[in-house]
Amino acid sequence: MPIITLTTDLGLKDFYVAAVKATILRQLDPVHIVDISHEIEKFSIAQAAYHIRNVFKEFPEGTVHIIGVRPELSTKNAHVVVRKNGQYLIGADNGIFSFIFNEPVDEVFELTISQDTDDLTFPTKDVFTKAAIHLAKGGTPEVIGRKTELKNVFSRLQPITDANSIRGHVTYIDSYENVMTNISEQMFQDIG
C-alpha cells in the first residue's frame, strides 16, 4: 500500500488538513496517510525540517512526503519534487531541503503540472497532492516536472567553539520540554 506523509503548519483547528487528506483519498485508494506534524509554527521551515529530518530514515523506499510549510509559488520558490534514497519529497524550493539533508539530494524536478482550481492560496491541496498521487501510483517525476537543481540552499547554523565552551543554537523544544540544539553528541564528547 502506498504511503504519503503530511507535514504542515495548518494546525488541527480548521478543516485544511481534512481537505488535503480527502483530496488524496478521493483519488488513491488504498493509501496509508501518515501525519508527521500539523503543529509546525507558521511558516517555520527550520522546524518542519527538524521533524522530517528525524523521521525520514524510518520510512521505506517509495514513500512520498508532502511538505506544506511556506508552500507558495513565487519567482524565487518553485514547486519541486526531490528524490532522496528512494523516497520523494514535494514542497516549495524555499530552503527547507538544505535544512533536511546534510548532503546533496539525488534529483530535483520542478513541477510542471497545473492545478485544477483558480485558487492559488492552497498549493498543498491543489498541487502537491496531485504530484504525490502520481508518484504513489508508481509514476515518475519526469512526467510531472522538468529536471532542475535546488535554487534556495542555505547553510545550517553551526556551533561555535573555543577552548572553554561550545555555543550552540536551540533548534526545537518538544512537548516534553526537551531542548534540541545544533550541538551534536560527538562534538560535545570531543570538546567536553
Side-chain angles (χ1 to χ4, degrees):
M1 178 181 321
I3 299 171
I4 297 177
T5 76
L6 299 174
T7 305
T8 75
D9 59 1
L10 297 172
L12 296 173
K13 178 181 177 183
D14 301 308
F15 66 90
Y16 304 124
V17 172
V20 171
K21 290 181 178 183
T23 301
I24 295 168
L25 292 169
R26 190 175 63 244
Q27 299 175 55
L28 184 62
D29 185 30
V31 62
H32 191 71
I33 300 173
V34 177
D35 299 297
I36 292 176
S37 179
H38 299 295
E39 298 297 330
I40 303 298
E41 288 179 23
K42 300 298 183 202
F43 312 111
S44 178
I45 61 171
Q47 192 178 100
Y50 170 80
H51 286 283
I52 296 165
R53 180 176 61 248
N54 282 289
V55 74
F56 179 80
K57 65 184 176 291
E58 305 300 333
F59 286 95
E61 280 192 26
T63 299
V64 180
H65 304 272
I66 294 176
I67 306 169
V69 178
R70 278 191 36 211
E72 294 75 23
L73 179 66
S74 72
T75 55
K76 294 180 182 177
N77 299 334
H79 289 156
V80 295
V81 172
V82 170
R83 188 175 65 77
K84 180 72 176 170
N85 298 339
Q87 298 183 53
Y88 295 101
L89 300 96
I90 302 165
D93 181 8
N94 55 22
I96 192 167
F97 299 105
S98 55
F99 291 142
I100 295 172
F101 301 111
N102 289 330
E103 64 282 332
V105 298
D106 300 334
E107 290 181 298
V108 179
F109 297 86
E110 182 176 349
L111 289 174
T112 57
I113 56 176
S114 61
Q115 64 182 48
D116 298 329
T117 68
D118 293 332
D119 185 4
L120 300 177
T121 62
F122 203 177
T124 303
K125 178 180 122 357
D126 298 326
V127 177
F128 298 168
T129 58
K130 200 173 186 180
I133 291 163
H134 169 80
L135 295 168
K137 288 181 176 179
T140 63
E142 291 87 355
V143 172
I144 57 173
R146 65 177 161 268
K147 198 159 187 173
T148 188
E149 294 186 15
L150 292 172
K151 309 248 183 323
N152 293 303
V153 179
F154 304 126
S155 297
R156 286 195 210 170
L157 292 175
Q158 298 298 318
I160 298 169
T161 62
D162 60 33
N164 299 316
S165 66
I166 304 171
R167 290 183 301 270
H169 178 74
V170 173
T171 57
Y172 184 67
I173 301 173
D174 71 12
S175 61
Y176 295 101
E177 298 185 6
N178 293 309
V179 178
M180 312 321 171
T181 71
N182 64 341
I183 301 169
S184 69
E185 183 178 351
Q186 186 63 49
M187 174 181 275
F188 185 79
Q189 290 174 354
D190 290 348
I191 295 173

